[in-house]
Amino acid sequence: MSHRAALLVIDVQNAVVEIAHRPAPVLAAIAGLRERALAAGVPVVTVQHGGGGLEPGTEPWRIAPAVAPGDGETVVHKTSADSFLGTELDAVLKESGVTEVVVTGFATEICVDTAARQALSHGYDVLLVADGHMTSVRPEGSPYAAPDAAVAHHNEIFKTIRYPGRAIRVLPADGIDFTAPPASVRQPVG
């Protein structure tokens, strides 16, 4: 099967941008990737969460204008952290012949992480965009990792994770060539 990438833009909605740590550079990275993907004929799939304060049709639920899908672009609606669970995402990707998902969005340690891991389980290679995912601002004394540490942690985890028969890459947005297949498929350790 020949290489075909798709760009996933996960939960970059108005309400989450308001609580995100350093949203401007991440939005700029995703917007640039969207533009390059569309110019290269690469599918862009926007994943939009509903529920828990993100009620469909409301302003907080809408996709942030900087990365909003255009006419004819696919939007997948979800109600859990898993972009594949109970959605048409897998069918959309398979119908387009996608072999690798380029993962961006919010929140790093929840929906982005879950989507990337589920993509592997569904048979896709994964390219995590190192500067294309973000998490929330944390209050002083929070038990959660600081936002920059959470993003760095996940980038490092995905650089070392192994999955049978799948390629996993972590690259900055400006280093992504949508037409270039992974150099090699990593084999499981042990």
Side-chain angles (χ1 to χ4, degrees):
M1 179 181 267
S2 63
H3 175 261
R4 178 146 168 86
L7 176 64
L8 296 185
V9 180
I10 301 166
D11 298 350
V12 184
Q13 295 163 252
N14 289 329
V16 301
V17 169
E18 289 179 12
I19 64 166
H21 173 70
R22 297 177 6 113
V26 176
L27 287 171
I30 296 171
L33 283 169
R34 283 188 79 261
E35 185 177 305
R36 291 180 17 231
L38 293 169
V42 169
V44 176
V45 179
T46 300
V47 179
Q48 187 173 29
H49 190 86
L54 295 171
E55 302 312 317
T58 65
E59 197 58 32
W61 171 81
R62 295 190 200 303
I63 302 299
V67 297
D71 292 338
E73 288 181 46
T74 302
V75 178
V76 171
H77 298 279
K78 70 179 183 68
T79 57
S80 76
D82 185 346
S83 296
F84 288 88
L85 181 66
T87 74
E88 69 276 10
L89 181 57
D90 192 43
V92 165
L93 296 173
K94 282 188 172 40
E95 184 178 301
S96 295
V98 171
T99 60
E100 179 180 51
V101 292
V102 178
V103 181
T104 68
F106 181 93
T108 295
E109 58 279 85
I110 304 170
C111 298
V112 170
D113 179 80
T114 303
R117 291 174 192 264
Q118 286 299 321
L120 292 167
S121 291
H122 282 81
Y124 301 98
D125 294 329
V126 168
L127 194 168
L128 179 63
V129 182
D131 54 350
H133 59 100
M134 58 190 161
T135 193
S136 60
V137 171
R138 309 292 160 73
E140 190 69 32
S142 170
Y144 298 106
D148 288 332
V151 169
H153 172 83
H154 277 74
N155 287 342
E156 288 305 310
I157 291 295
F158 276 88
K159 287 177 185 175
T160 60
I161 200 170
R162 302 292 187 263
Y163 203 92
R166 302 275 57 89
I168 304 167
R169 302 184 289 164
V170 179
L171 295 171
D174 65 2
I176 294 172
D177 177 353
F178 285 106
T179 62
S184 65
V185 174
R186 295 182 177 178
Q187 297 303 316
V189 175

